Amino acid sequence: MLNSLPSEVDVAVIGAGSAGLPAFRAAREHTDRVILIERGPHGTTCARVGCMPSKLLIAAAEAAHGMEIAPGFGIHPGSIRIDGEAVMERVRRERDRFVGFVLDGVDRIDPEQKISGQARFVEDSRLEIGNSQVRAGRVVIASGTSPAIPDFLEQVRDRVSVNDDVFEWKTLPESVAVFGAGVIALELGQALHRLGVRVRLFGRSLRTGPITDPGVLQSAEKVFSSEFPFTAPVKVENVESDENGVRVLYRNNEDSGVEEEVFEQVLAATGRDPNLTELNLEQTSLKLDSRGIPVYNPLTMQCGNSPVFIAGDVNNTLTVLREAADEGRIAGDNAGRFPDVREGRRSSPMTVVFTDPQMAVVGKTWKDLQGRDFVMGSVSFEGQGRSRVMLQNRGRLHLYAEPGSGRLLGMEAVGPRVEHLAHLVAWSHQQQLTVQQMLSMPFYHPVVEEGLRTALRSARDQL
């Protein structure tokens, strides 16, 4: 990794993650004078501390849970023993394997194009890394995000973990207070609970994960609160050190009395902040929004009319790998071809949460559609055939269609294996299929997908 800079390049990409690497490759299609700047270890957030290690922990939790629910099928296994050290050792070992694949790709990049250090803007087209400067005709900001820690947890900081820390644990703690009700909080909170950790989730609002539809939200809250303690909305009175860990004092609502519980560890899962502070954006001409994020065109990723582009988690829009990769590709392509900036092709929005049951959102959400005419088709998985066969009959799916045309607009769901339903709906949405066209597709029996057909029929009857 070089510490010296060329004096001038055509494109500089800040960040070598899930957006930065595609941006670098796309820019290279137009020019060889491209550099990739990374301040930390390579390997991407997804591989190191996100998608992959979290799914490894979830897979272990699913194995334990499968044994726990086996009596429902008339099967009575022996006692379950969870070896926390072995669980976390496998998580780290397999995580390192996934990181290794990313590093292999990074190693194939010309060493002269890889720069180590923190990039800072001197002006729109000039960057400073360490004591050196480089003039960059165009810049792609793909610096990612970092976990946010609420101020009220600072006094117990020595007991606070963020999701980045969890996968370095040598064993499982006895108890964890999870602050947050988003994707990370729900996935890790449920997984830890199923692995024998005493868990309570503290959420600021009733919103669960990415769900906005009141009916689906109610179903999700019912499902998760029945499995582990889930306090939302919560008013945290105090979080203080205790000889056994951390004592949390809270109210379930304004009128309830103060309750308290002691936990060995605290997991802060209240969101992630864009890595923008150290970029010195005040030295640029970029217009910033109320959150300090550059205002950009989501179809071109260009910030105003400047030669600066932004992609990935750092723009704080859709923080999932697929979106980051798409944005990186568009930003890098436009940076490489600048000033011939073109709109990139975006795929249908899709988010999947790997809880049990899973949650998924595709296309337009219920919140997006407020103030607009739409019909809603629905199905409950409680009575859905295949779901009952598997003892996974929990949750609800709502899909939205446009009156008149019958075109599919979107879906929100919590239910068994909805990661697969989400793909079917996303593919249909991207092709702008109508409800009737989707119903003309084959549905096997008995499968969970028949639940999607029920919701489609529900929407058709209203159309």
Side-chain angles (χ1 to χ4, degrees):
M1 189 76 70
L2 285 184
N3 289 317
S4 59
L5 281 171
S7 59
E8 188 171 349
V9 296
D10 291 330
V11 180
V13 179
I14 303 174
S18 298
L21 288 170
F24 175 81
R25 290 191 290 266
R28 279 288 310 274
E29 293 294 318
H30 300 279
T31 174
D32 290 332
R33 302 206 314 158
V34 184
I35 58 172
L36 183 65
I37 307 166
E38 175 56 63
R39 70 172 183 176
H42 288 272
T44 78
T45 295
C46 174
R48 283 190 180 278
V49 296
C51 320
M52 303 314 293
S54 66
K55 303 314 169 285
L56 287 163
L57 192 69
I58 289 168
E62 288 175 343
H65 185 66
M67 298 177 68
E68 186 176 329
I69 66 172
F73 295 97
I75 301 170
H76 301 274
S79 61
I80 303 172
R81 184 180 71 86
I82 297 172
D83 184 338
E85 290 187 9
V87 168
M88 297 311 300
E89 191 279 329
R90 178 179 184 268
V91 168
R92 293 192 303 276
R93 183 180 70 249
E94 290 296 312
R95 181 273 314 271
D96 292 344
R97 179 173 175 271
F98 290 121
V99 171
F101 294 145
V102 179
L103 295 180
D104 287 345
V106 174
D107 287 343
R108 289 194 287 270
I109 297 175
D110 186 338
E112 294 187 0
Q113 295 181 299
K114 294 184 289 187
I115 306 298
S116 177
Q118 172 64 57
R120 296 180 173 84
F121 280 94
V122 178
E123 56 188 46
D124 288 3
S125 297
R126 183 174 290 278
L127 297 173
E128 180 180 73
I129 299 98
N131 295 321
S132 302
Q133 292 189 6
V134 57
R135 176 168 291 282
R138 288 84 71 190
V139 178
V140 176
I141 301 173
S143 49
T145 58
S146 297
I149 299 179
D151 292 340
F152 68 85
L153 293 179
E154 286 298 333
Q155 59 184 331
V156 292
R157 186 67 180 85
D158 61 324
R159 290 278 184 170
V160 175
S161 294
V162 294
N163 65 292
D164 295 26
D165 304 321
V166 168
F167 311 113
E168 296 301 330
W169 287 351
K170 301 304 180 185
T171 189
L172 295 169
E174 180 275 330
S175 57
V176 176
V178 181
F179 287 92
V183 173
I184 295 172
L186 288 165
E187 287 187 346
L188 296 184
Q190 184 181 51
L192 292 171
H193 165 75
R194 291 184 169 184
L195 289 168
V197 179
R198 176 169 57 85
V199 169
R200 180 180 290 275
L201 262 70
F202 297 93
R204 289 181 298 179
S205 70
L206 288 173
R207 181 168 175 177
T208 304
I211 303 299
T212 71
D213 186 302
V216 180
L217 186 59
Q218 183 179 36
S219 182
E221 290 166 1
K222 176 184 175 182
V223 167
F224 296 119
S225 62
S226 68
E227 181 171 343
F228 51 83
F230 185 177
T231 305
V234 68
K235 178 175 174 55
V236 178
E237 296 289 340
N238 196 25
V239 180
E240 59 191 29
S241 295
D242 181 272
E243 60 182 355
N244 296 313
V246 174
R247 183 182 303 277
V248 181
L249 291 85
Y250 63 95
R251 297 178 188 269
N252 285 306
N253 55 63
E254 293 290 344
D255 300 324
S256 66
V258 175
E259 299 184 44
E260 62 178 64
E261 195 169 350
V262 176
F263 302 89
E264 181 182 338
Q265 281 280 347
V266 170
L267 174 59
T270 53
R272 298 177 69 89
D273 292 330
N275 293 328
L276 292 171
T277 305
E278 297 182 352
L279 293 184
N280 287 357
L281 293 180
E282 64 275 10
Q283 299 298 319
T284 71
S285 65
L286 304 183
K287 180 181 178 181
L288 308 182
D289 65 16
S290 59
R291 302 165 299 172
I293 299 171
V295 176
Y296 70 100
N297 181 332
L299 297 178
T300 64
M301 312 314 297
Q302 184 180 15
C303 300
N305 294 316
S306 76
V308 180
F309 300 80
I310 188 167
D313 289 6
V314 68
N315 64 38
N316 215 26
T317 304
L318 288 170
T319 56
V320 293
L321 179 144
R322 183 181 62 84
E323 295 291 342
D326 282 353
E327 291 181 357
R329 174 181 48 79
I330 294 169
D333 179 62
N334 277 325
R337 67 170 62 254
F338 187 86
D340 179 23
V341 174
R342 303 178 183 180
E343 292 185 356
R345 184 174 183 271
R346 300 297 297 268
S347 53
S348 291
M350 175 171 58
T351 300
V352 176
V353 183
F354 291 86
T355 47
D356 178 23
Q358 294 176 340
M359 292 183 282
V361 174
V362 175
K364 296 292 185 183
T365 67
W366 179 87
K367 183 179 180 181
D368 293 335
L369 295 171
Q370 295 313 292
R372 174 177 174 180
D373 287 338
F374 67 97
V375 301
M376 182 174 71
S378 66
V379 63
S380 168
F381 289 105
E382 292 182 5
Q384 201 275 324
R386 183 65 186 279
S387 302
R388 290 190 66 86
V389 166
M390 300 185 296
L391 281 181
Q392 296 179 17
N393 51 315
R394 303 180 295 168
R396 172 170 290 277
L397 180 151
H398 286 176
L399 57 83
Y400 319 112
E402 185 176 62
S405 71
R407 184 170 60 88
L408 175 72
L409 297 175
M411 179 198 80
E412 294 194 35
V414 55
R417 306 180 184 182
V418 294
E419 61 181 291
H420 306 299
L421 299 185
H423 280 81
L424 296 180
V425 173
W427 294 347
S428 300
H429 180 267
Q430 186 156 316
Q431 296 177 76
Q432 299 188 14
L433 297 186
T434 66
V435 167
Q436 188 57 50
Q437 286 173 321
M438 293 178 69
L439 280 169
S440 70
M441 302 294 181
F443 289 84
Y444 205 74
H445 174 76
V447 292
V448 175
E449 284 75 6
E450 288 176 298
L452 173 60
R453 183 177 62 185
T454 300
L456 287 166
R457 286 172 172 171
S458 171
R460 180 193 61 189
D461 291 346
Q462 297 172 68
L463 290 168

